[in-house]
Amino acid sequence: MKQELILNYCKQFKLSGIACHIETVLQEAQSSQMSYSDCIIKLFEKEAQTRETKAFERRISAAKLPGNHKLDQYDHSFENGINKTRLNQLRELNWLDQIFNIVLMGSSGVGKTYVAAGLCFDAIKAGYKAYFRTMEDITNMLKLKDITKSAMTEYRRLSKANLIVMDDIMLFPLDKPVAIALFNFINQQYEKTAFIITTNKSPKEWAHMLNDEVLATALLDRILYRCEVINLSGKSYRIKNRKTIFN
């Protein structure tokens, strides 16, 4: 009866961590003759752990990471121009605290997206607000933010980010209004948000994709102001490890 009353109070005050562990903790308290204060501390520890886990799961969901995003599983035998020491240095996230940008350049399949997503995942684990978005995601948001509620919610979410990954930037040409909106967004964020940008286009090609050399120069000026440019090279990992339906 008393335990049921406790569970009702847990539900009322949204203490799901305590509710899930109350029985186990009480049994442990009885068997080990735990003091009242230690028992209460134990229950609140369970609540804190539950909330931390749920918050992490929410951040992971909001980040929209691709399937491969854990750098602990990174294949260091794949030669693409970034060695284990350099990657581990990036994983320390000192650049994120300093609001530095990372630009990963290279052809398709050399690991740009994997590294970017992995650093985003590391940032989330460290407690940062970090999000992974493709160029298409970003441009669609900018087109629709003044039209749909969901796009405006996304815009506000990204505006508060510590880190934004923009995958495959300049993969396709942009219409002038979208290009201007992209510049305005980055101009608004670059002093308070770190960016990881992946691209297979050289800075010279950005002007062509934007059809505006002045705008491309201004955009690159913001991104490269505090930035580490990493050129990845080599053959495509996907082609090298191509799957087949035959044995």
Side-chain angles (χ1 to χ4, degrees):
M1 184 68 178
K2 289 183 178 179
Q3 192 163 322
E4 185 179 344
L5 183 60
I6 292 172
L7 290 174
N8 287 336
Y9 277 125
C10 286
K11 185 176 181 180
Q12 180 180 345
F13 294 109
K14 299 180 180 179
L15 302 172
S16 59
I18 292 177
C20 288
H21 296 92
I22 183 72
E23 187 174 349
T24 304
V25 172
L26 289 180
Q27 288 176 354
E28 183 184 345
Q30 289 172 356
S31 62
S32 63
Q33 296 183 333
M34 191 183 296
S35 68
Y36 293 131
S37 58
D38 285 342
C39 183
I40 292 171
I41 290 171
K42 192 81 172 178
L43 287 169
F44 278 114
E45 284 176 348
K46 296 296 184 183
E47 180 63 32
Q49 290 168 5
T50 299
R51 293 192 179 199
E52 287 172 8
T53 299
K54 288 184 176 180
F56 176 70
E57 290 172 351
R58 285 195 298 270
R59 292 199 302 272
I60 288 293
S61 177
K64 299 182 180 179
L65 293 166
N68 294 326
H69 60 257
K70 295 184 178 179
L71 292 176
D72 289 339
Q73 301 170 2
Y74 189 79
D75 184 2
H76 292 284
S77 67
F78 177 60
E79 296 181 2
N80 62 353
I82 184 168
N83 59 38
K84 188 175 182 179
T85 300
R86 198 175 188 189
L87 184 60
N88 286 338
Q89 187 176 354
L90 289 174
R91 296 188 70 184
E92 293 174 1
L93 303 178
N94 294 326
W95 54 272
L96 180 50
D97 291 326
Q98 298 167 17
I99 317 181
F100 255 75
N101 301 321
I102 306 291
V103 173
L104 299 169
M105 295 180 61
S107 57
S108 180
V110 294
K112 304 184 301 296
T113 297
Y114 193 166
V115 171
L119 293 174
C120 185
F121 180 65
D122 285 348
I124 295 167
K125 287 196 296 181
Y128 295 96
K129 295 177 182 177
Y131 306 97
F132 182 99
R133 299 293 186 266
T134 64
M135 182 66 169
E136 186 177 12
D137 293 331
I138 295 290
T139 54
N140 284 340
M141 174 199 70
L142 294 172
K143 289 176 185 177
L144 298 173
K145 72 180 181 67
D146 296 323
I147 301 172
T148 69
K149 185 177 180 180
S150 59
M152 179 54 75
T153 299
E154 169 77 343
Y155 179 80
R156 289 171 177 164
R157 180 187 294 117
L158 296 186
S159 295
K160 298 175 183 177
N162 301 116
L163 171 66
I164 299 173
V165 176
M166 297 180 66
D167 191 39
D168 279 333
I169 195 170
M170 301 304 160
L171 183 62
F172 47 83
L174 297 181
D175 295 335
K176 192 62 172 285
V178 178
I180 292 172
L182 177 65
F183 168 78
N184 288 336
F185 177 67
I186 291 178
N187 186 51
Q188 166 190 295
Q189 296 297 127
Y190 82 99
E191 291 184 319
K192 59 182 181 179
T193 301
F195 288 90
I196 299 177
I197 289 172
T198 74
T199 183
N200 61 5
K201 299 289 191 300
S202 68
K204 290 182 179 179
E205 293 176 282
W206 285 33
H208 174 69
M209 303 308 288
L210 294 173
N211 196 27
D212 189 321
E213 187 172 346
V214 173
L215 188 60
T217 301
L219 185 61
L220 285 165
D221 180 69
R222 269 69 174 175
I223 293 171
L224 299 177
Y225 172 58
R226 296 168 62 85
C227 181
E228 188 69 35
V229 179
I230 301 173
N231 287 289
L232 300 183
S233 58
K235 296 180 179 179
S236 169
Y237 186 86
R238 286 186 288 269
I239 298 299
K240 183 180 178 181
N241 295 272
R242 183 176 64 87
K243 307 298 181 183
T244 176
I245 61 174
F246 301 109
N247 293 327

